[in-house]
């Protein structure tokens, strides 16, 4: 029989893996944020939009899957964060909704708003969507202002009990207060510039327009440097800062110096995977910069992004660490043990998750089917769908 603790750790791993994949796929948003800088001419913007438009659904679907997996596996986090820090999540949702609307209606007959209006919506999605996602994820390390009344959980099944509130947000800004922590800004900006960096690698790999590819190589440097700066600032700051740990016996949460650094040391496989991911990201960038003929950097940096982000998310939940610490009431902090679904639910989901490799196989097949040759404007004449 599958152990309950194994299921809780398994589902945090699945969520972390989905988060890593989502971070890589944000290159679509990164490319959109450069529509008016990298794409100086209408023909370049048209080409960029149509290249990205064949990938945007992967990002959107992965985001929905990430949220759905969190809701099903750790419902207390979903109700606490999504129900409390709702302004941040609503802004993120808004950014992705206008992206879907833009790709759907940009080329529709009778578009009275004009193509540039929808391109502006895509730019907003690329700018705010990536930054706010980074800020939201940073609170897994820096904490959030909420309190949980665990006593009400036991009363949910009592009849005629009304007005029970399990989680309460302690700040009237409801999530926007996260913008007051510069460490959250560091990760938000790191995600923003990482998305743009991988987008440049994507354009270099996929586009046949020599002028646009040459500009993408220049923009790769412009975005990779601030990405490295903000990423290192966040990681070093986090590894040297205090974190929270939960006693496995008493369940008491307390502050521990250098908690996340020790997590990487005490979870050697996770630490090694993190380092490998960082090296792969840097290799893909540096190799592309120094070699004018190298165009496969996206695969090295893309895989590295998945590994590094997955590892960072793992150390927020593994090794007796509250993955969502409360900065106002540490004992309210959420762990994979006190916020997960029932053993029955996690077991049923475990067997369903065995189908995931088949889904990934289909995605890889569909991706390859669309990537048989370099993308150029002339191909759109033979394509039945144009954005």
């Amino acid at each position: 029989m599958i152990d309950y603790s194994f299921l809780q750790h398994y589902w945090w791993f699945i969520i972390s893996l989905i988060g890593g994949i989502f971070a890589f796929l944000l290159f679509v948003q990164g490319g959109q944020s450069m529509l008016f800088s990298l794409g100086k001419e209408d023909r370049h913007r048209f080409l960029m939009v149509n290249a990205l438009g064949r990938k945007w659904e992967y990002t959107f679907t992965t985001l929905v899957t990430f949220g759905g997996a969190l809701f099903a596996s750790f419902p207390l986090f979903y109700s606490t964060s999504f129900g409390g820090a709702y302004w941040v999540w609503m802004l993120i949702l808004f950014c992705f909704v206008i992206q879907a609307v833009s790709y759907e209606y940009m080329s529709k007959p009778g578009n009275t708003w004009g193509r540039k209006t929808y391109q502006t919506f895509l730019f907003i999605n690329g700018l705010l969507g990536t930054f706010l996602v980074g800020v939201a994820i940073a609170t897994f390390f820096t904490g959030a202002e909420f309190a949980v009344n665990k006593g009400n959980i036991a009363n949910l099944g009592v009849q005629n009990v009304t007005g029970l509130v399990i989680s309460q947000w302690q700040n009237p800004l409801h999530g926007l207060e996260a913008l007051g922590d510069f460490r959250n800004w560091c990760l938000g900006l790191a995600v923003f510039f990482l998305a743009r960096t991988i987008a440049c690698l994507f354009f270099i790999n996929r586009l046949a327009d020599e002028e646009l590819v040459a500009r993408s190589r220049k923009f790769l440097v412009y975005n990779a440097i601030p990405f490295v700066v903000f990423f290192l600032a966040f990681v070093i700051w986090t590894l040297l800062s205090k974190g929270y740990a939960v006693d496995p016996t008493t369940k008491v949460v307390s502050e521990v110096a250098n908690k996340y650094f020790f997590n990487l040391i005490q979870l050697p496989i996770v630490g090694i995977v993190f380092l490998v991911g960082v090296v792969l990201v840097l290799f893909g960038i540096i190799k592309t910069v120094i070699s004018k003929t190298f165009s496969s950097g996206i695969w090295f940096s893309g895989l590295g992004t998945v590994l590094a982000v997955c590892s960072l998310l793992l150390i927020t939940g593994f090794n007796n660490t509250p993955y969502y610490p409360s900065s106002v009431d540490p004992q309210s902090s959420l762990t994979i043990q006190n916020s997960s679904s029932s053993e029955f639910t996690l077991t049923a989901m475990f067997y369903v998750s065995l189908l995931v490799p088949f889904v990934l196989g289909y995605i890889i097949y569909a991706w390859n089917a669309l990537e048989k040759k370099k993308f150029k404007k002339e191909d759109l004449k033979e394509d039945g769908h144009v954005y």
Side-chain angles (χ1 to χ4, degrees):
M1 184 174 180
I2 303 175
D3 181 72
Y4 190 25
S5 178
F6 166 80
L7 290 170
Q8 292 167 330
H9 284 80
Y10 171 80
W11 276 104
W12 188 250
F13 166 74
I14 293 297
I15 289 170
S16 299
L17 180 59
I18 295 173
I21 295 172
F22 175 67
F24 162 59
L25 293 174
L26 281 175
F27 74 81
V28 175
Q29 277 64 35
Q32 292 169 183
S33 72
M34 297 185 288
L35 283 178
F36 301 109
S37 53
L38 178 60
K40 286 292 187 180
E41 302 178 15
D42 287 339
R43 62 185 180 91
H44 285 158
R45 286 192 287 270
F46 181 71
L47 187 59
M48 291 168 63
V49 166
N50 279 274
L52 297 170
R54 283 151 176 76
K55 300 293 183 290
W56 78 269
E57 291 174 323
Y58 293 140
T59 312
F60 195 89
T61 303
T62 306
L63 175 63
V64 173
T65 304
F66 181 78
L70 270 175
F71 172 73
S73 304
F74 303 97
L76 187 53
F77 165 78
Y78 198 86
S79 63
T80 300
S81 183
F82 286 71
Y86 51 76
W87 282 121
V88 170
W89 294 114
M90 286 177 65
L91 285 172
I92 292 174
L93 180 60
F94 171 77
C95 288
F96 281 87
V97 167
I98 63 173
Q99 178 202 36
V101 171
S102 297
Y103 279 116
E104 179 67 24
Y105 292 101
M106 186 179 302
S107 61
K108 292 287 185 181
N111 174 12
T112 57
W113 285 12
R115 180 178 295 276
K116 193 165 186 178
T117 299
Y118 289 111
Q119 290 178 350
T120 302
F121 289 165
L122 293 180
F123 169 78
I124 294 173
N125 171 243
L127 175 63
L128 291 181
T130 52
F131 173 72
L132 290 175
V133 165
V135 169
I137 296 301
T139 60
F140 283 30
F141 297 88
T142 60
E145 299 183 26
F146 65 91
V148 177
N149 187 347
K150 296 184 174 69
N152 283 341
I153 298 177
N155 295 325
L156 288 178
V158 179
Q159 294 183 353
N160 300 322
V161 176
T162 58
L164 288 177
V165 178
I166 298 174
S167 304
Q168 288 186 318
W169 209 258
Q170 303 297 300
N171 192 300
L173 294 178
H174 288 284
L176 293 179
E177 72 277 0
L179 295 173
D181 190 329
F182 184 66
R183 184 154 42 131
N184 295 341
W185 276 76
C186 286
L187 187 59
L189 291 171
V191 172
F192 170 69
F193 284 110
L194 173 63
R196 288 165 65 97
T197 297
I198 299 181
C200 290
L201 294 173
F202 171 73
F203 291 141
I204 293 169
N205 179 258
R206 295 310 315 143
L207 299 183
D209 188 296
E210 293 183 1
E211 183 180 352
L212 199 51
V213 169
R215 287 180 58 81
S216 295
R217 290 187 181 275
K218 292 182 180 179
F219 271 62
L220 175 61
V221 177
Y222 302 156
N223 290 281
I225 292 176
F227 155 65
V228 171
V229 170
F230 285 114
F231 178 73
L232 288 178
F234 175 81
V235 170
I236 294 173
W237 192 345
T238 298
L239 295 182
L240 297 180
S241 297
K242 292 181 179 180
Y244 290 101
V246 55
D247 189 293
T249 304
T250 64
K251 308 302 180 184
V252 174
V253 178
S254 57
E255 278 191 333
V256 176
N258 311 122
K259 172 59 176 172
Y260 296 108
F261 172 76
F262 286 119
N263 279 1
L264 286 176
I265 300 300
Q266 294 166 1
L267 300 170
I269 295 179
V270 177
I272 292 172
V273 170
F274 173 71
L275 291 176
V276 170
V278 172
V279 170
L280 285 174
V281 171
L282 294 177
F283 174 80
I285 295 171
I286 295 173
K287 179 69 173 178
T288 304
V289 170
I290 63 178
S291 175
K292 299 303 181 182
T293 59
F294 185 73
S295 62
S296 300
I298 184 175
W299 304 119
F300 292 95
S301 294
L303 177 59
T305 297
V306 174
L307 296 179
V309 173
C310 178
S311 299
L312 285 177
L313 289 175
L314 286 177
I315 64 173
T316 65
F318 283 7
N319 200 33
N320 299 314
T321 309
Y323 68 85
Y324 201 47
S326 172
S327 57
V328 296
D329 179 19
Q331 305 315 311
S332 293
S333 300
L334 302 185
T335 69
I336 61 176
Q337 287 80 22
N338 68 15
S339 64
S340 69
S341 294
S342 67
E343 184 174 4
F344 174 80
T345 301
L346 294 183
T347 301
M349 291 168 53
F350 169 78
Y351 289 112
V352 173
S353 72
L354 297 179
L355 298 175
V356 170
F358 296 98
V359 177
L360 288 175
Y362 172 75
I363 292 175
I364 294 173
Y365 169 79
W367 183 294
N368 289 332
L370 295 173
E371 303 293 330
K372 292 182 178 180
K373 59 181 180 178
K374 295 278 188 177
F375 195 80
K376 53 185 178 180
K377 186 176 180 180
E378 288 73 19
D379 293 334
L380 298 176
K381 298 178 182 179
E382 305 172 0
D383 198 310
H385 188 77
V386 177
Y387 292 104

